[in-house]
Amino acid sequence: MNRSRWINSSTMYSRKAVPETKLFTAVLAQAVHDAFSSHVEKIHRDSAMDFLTEDSWHLRMICDLAGRDANYVREKITKKLLSDD
């Protein structure tokens, strides 16, 4: 699977690619996939979109564990949503 273009690969600090980091990066990538895929059920698309666009503790935690910036992820998703309208 290709790396999602919505996840910032240039973080402020470099984290060793341990299995846990890869796991949480995959969680973010799956959420992006679910949010923008037409074959995913609407309830799952909506849940993924809520997860990616709301400033929640869960998103911040997942992003931190993946070595990503939650603000960057939310900004990119919001920008993509606005450009698709």
Side-chain angles (χ1 to χ4, degrees):
M1 180 192 317
N2 292 334
R3 181 181 199 105
S4 174
R5 62 185 173 166
W6 305 113
I7 299 176
N8 184 4
S9 61
S10 60
T11 58
M12 293 176 62
Y13 57 94
S14 197
R15 211 180 251 209
K16 194 174 183 181
V18 296
E20 293 82 3
T21 303
K22 291 179 182 181
L23 171 66
F24 289 107
T25 300
V27 169
L28 286 174
Q30 186 65 51
V32 171
H33 174 269
D34 290 351
F36 291 102
S37 294
S38 59
H39 67 275
V40 175
E41 291 183 38
K42 183 175 178 357
I43 191 165
H44 299 297
R45 270 197 321 269
D46 292 346
S47 292
M49 195 59 66
D50 289 345
F51 170 72
L52 292 165
T53 57
E54 294 176 1
D55 184 21
S56 69
W57 176 84
H58 292 107
L59 178 64
R60 289 191 309 271
M61 179 189 64
I62 296 295
C63 287
D64 184 54
L65 292 169
R68 306 295 188 255
D69 182 322
N71 292 325
Y72 178 87
V73 172
R74 272 195 319 277
E75 287 172 13
K76 289 302 246 184
I77 295 299
T78 301
K79 186 176 179 180
K80 174 65 177 161
L81 287 172
L82 293 175
S83 71
D84 282 351
D85 290 343

